[in-house]
Amino acid sequence: MAAASATSSSELPECPVCHDGYQEPKILPCTHLVCKKCVVSWLHKAGVKGGCPLCRAPILPPTSRDQRDLDTLVNDLPTDLATMALVDSHNTLSGQHVCMICEDNTAATSFCLQCDIKICKDCVKTHKKIPGTRKHVIEDLNKLSPQRLAEINRACCNVHDDEPAKVYCSTHQELICMLCATTNHRSCAEVKAITDVATEKRRELEQQAQRLRAMETALAAQIKEVKDMFPSMRKKVKDTFDDLEQWVEKRRQEVNTLIQAEEDATMTSLAELEKWRAALALNIASVGKLVQSASGGALLGMVNSLTPRLNDLESQTGTTRKIETADLTFNFQKLDQLKADIASLGQITKPTSTPTTLQQPTQPAPATSTATTRRTADKPRRAELAKVLRVGDRVKPGPDWSGSRLGLTGTVTAIPSRLAVTGGWDPAGWMDVKWDGECECYHYMGYNGLYELDLL
């Protein structure tokens, strides 16, 4: 008895659902291979909206669901003919090798690639003598693998399944035999040899694969860039706020140095004043003792000499012996602005697409306030404003404002349906700002009507 296939059954590709050799393997949209019967059985259980049994990706397109029976829908999925040919070749080479020409179950030793049959030693000799088969390629069954047999496995005519397909009709996209080529497909525009069409299609698939590979490479680079974006953001945040902390700490030390210098100078002055106060205390005590204990004669004898001294002490103390105080001031208006600027740091922004054309209104909008109509030359600027307004932007009243408000500015701190602006003209911070598509500008509802907002 001849040996079995050169490739063991363990090497045969198996369906991941039934774990048997593939039977009409279908290529799912996710590229997984599953037997047709397994796909149908799976969708009967999971429903037409069921996904791939391996990855749960959709199997049937949404537009096709519930329109036809499952067998027809699954049959429309592409079949992996290469895997199917490998399975068929394995089945052909497996089991007992019996000559398919002899009728006495003679052991087969060879395989005719053109006839697609197993033959014994005697039939090989006969095969090589007959003019119609003498040029056939015959290989040893013990050395023939399913992969080799699948590679040269002949295709059959779509109409005459017992005839080998020789040509391909591009008009009907069918593999046909020579009989069909000379009869039913004689008027078709393109009927070429299978090898020529296969070579052309293989080249087209390779070119398309190259384009897809380039797209994959670009997408991989983009994915890496996006993944690296957030660590970069965190580093930028760290560096920025570390610089701010260093700047604040440096300024703290500078202010403390100013305070220390002022304190040292003041303490020196206070030491001098303390000496003067002690001298005053001694003189005050001496005068008090004199007033309380001296007799009238003694008092009168000393008063003329003490009075000039006391007058001099009183005069110097009242005019030159004063304590000069210092104060530490902060510009709280600038501090509030600094806080607002810091609060606007680190905003996440995403690019927005700019339309190629602007929708112009067919008729001007009816006037609803005292605001004047924006000039046509400013309309592109208004459209640009609608796209670039971001948290942290510096804004000001538009040119259609009047009065003292024209010189005021503010900082955007939030952009929900309303716009929060700190500083400038609105102490409350909330402004009802909305984009007006008809005049292509931002409108702010003020006390006297609508006003326009502009970027600095």
Side-chain angles (χ1 to χ4, degrees), residues 79-270:
T79 302
D80 189 344
L81 297 178
T83 299
M84 193 171 177
L86 181 61
V87 173
D88 291 341
S89 299
H90 181 275
N91 293 335
T92 299
L93 297 176
S94 63
Q96 295 181 346
H97 293 332
V98 179
C99 180
M100 302 174 68
I101 297 178
C102 297
E103 298 180 355
D104 54 356
N105 294 329
T106 305
T109 59
S110 304
F111 192 91
C112 178
L113 300 183
Q114 279 71 30
C115 297
D116 195 23
I117 58 174
K118 302 174 185 177
I119 54 179
C120 63
K121 293 181 180 179
D122 294 336
C123 291
V124 170
K125 297 178 181 179
T126 305
H127 221 64
K128 292 182 178 180
K129 293 179 180 179
I130 300 175
T133 60
R134 66 175 55 175
K135 294 184 179 180
H136 287 189
V137 178
I138 299 176
E139 295 196 3
D140 189 341
L141 269 175
N142 293 326
K143 298 179 180 179
L144 183 60
S145 67
Q147 290 80 4
R148 164 64 176 160
L149 184 57
E151 289 175 0
I152 51 86
N153 189 21
R154 65 175 187 173
C156 294
C157 176
N158 285 0
V159 178
H160 308 101
D161 53 8
D162 58 340
E163 290 291 331
K166 297 294 185 180
V167 293
Y168 180 79
C169 176
S170 300
T171 304
H172 296 91
Q173 297 184 352
E174 290 181 347
L175 293 168
I176 56 177
C177 62
M178 295 306 298
L179 178 60
C180 291
T182 57
T183 56
N184 300 335
H185 297 266
R186 185 171 59 180
S187 60
C188 293
E190 289 191 8
V191 177
K192 297 180 180 180
I194 292 178
T195 54
D196 295 340
V197 179
T199 300
E200 181 181 341
K201 294 299 180 182
R202 184 175 285 109
R203 182 175 61 253
E204 292 177 359
L205 288 175
E206 290 175 350
Q207 292 174 351
Q208 188 171 20
Q210 290 178 357
R211 294 194 298 269
L212 292 175
R213 193 175 297 110
M215 293 179 183
E216 181 194 7
T217 302
L219 187 59
Q222 185 179 1
I223 291 173
K224 183 180 183 303
E225 181 181 357
V226 172
K227 287 183 177 179
D228 294 342
M229 177 177 63
F230 295 101
S232 176
M233 285 182 179
R234 292 187 179 91
K235 183 179 184 302
K236 185 182 295 185
V237 168
K238 182 180 182 302
D239 294 343
T240 300
F241 284 94
D242 284 350
D243 289 344
L244 285 174
E245 290 176 1
Q246 293 175 5
W247 181 85
V248 171
E249 183 59 31
K250 178 183 178 182
R251 185 55 186 165
R252 187 207 307 273
Q253 294 177 3
E254 292 175 352
V255 173
N256 284 333
T257 300
L258 291 175
I259 294 174
Q260 186 63 48
E262 187 64 27
E263 182 180 12
D264 293 342
T266 301
M267 291 300 103
T268 301
S269 299
L270 286 178

Side-chain angles (χ1 to χ4, degrees), residues 299-316:
L299 179 64
L300 293 175
M302 296 177 63
V303 70
N304 290 331
S305 60
L306 288 177
T307 297
R309 181 189 300 176
L310 295 177
N311 289 339
D312 184 54
L313 288 173
E314 183 176 5
S315 175
Q316 291 189 38

Side-chain angles (χ1 to χ4, degrees), residues 389-411:
L389 190 61
R390 297 285 188 272
V391 171
D393 284 345
R394 300 285 294 162
V395 293
K396 66 179 181 180
D400 286 339
W401 282 67
S402 60
S404 60
R405 294 180 184 271
L406 280 173
L408 300 178
T409 62
T411 301

Side-chain angles (χ1 to χ4, degrees), residues 32-78:
H32 283 130
L33 286 182
V34 181
C35 290
K36 175 184 175 181
K37 62 180 180 60
C38 294
V39 178
V40 174
S41 175
W42 174 261
L43 291 179
H44 272 301
K45 294 177 181 178
V48 292
K49 295 183 180 180
C52 170
L54 301 180
C55 66
R56 298 300 186 268
I59 296 178
L60 303 178
T63 55
S64 299
R65 293 175 181 173
D66 300 324
Q67 295 179 6
R68 294 175 293 175
D69 61 278
L70 286 178
D71 289 338
T72 304
L73 290 170
V74 174
N75 191 59
D76 288 343
L77 295 173

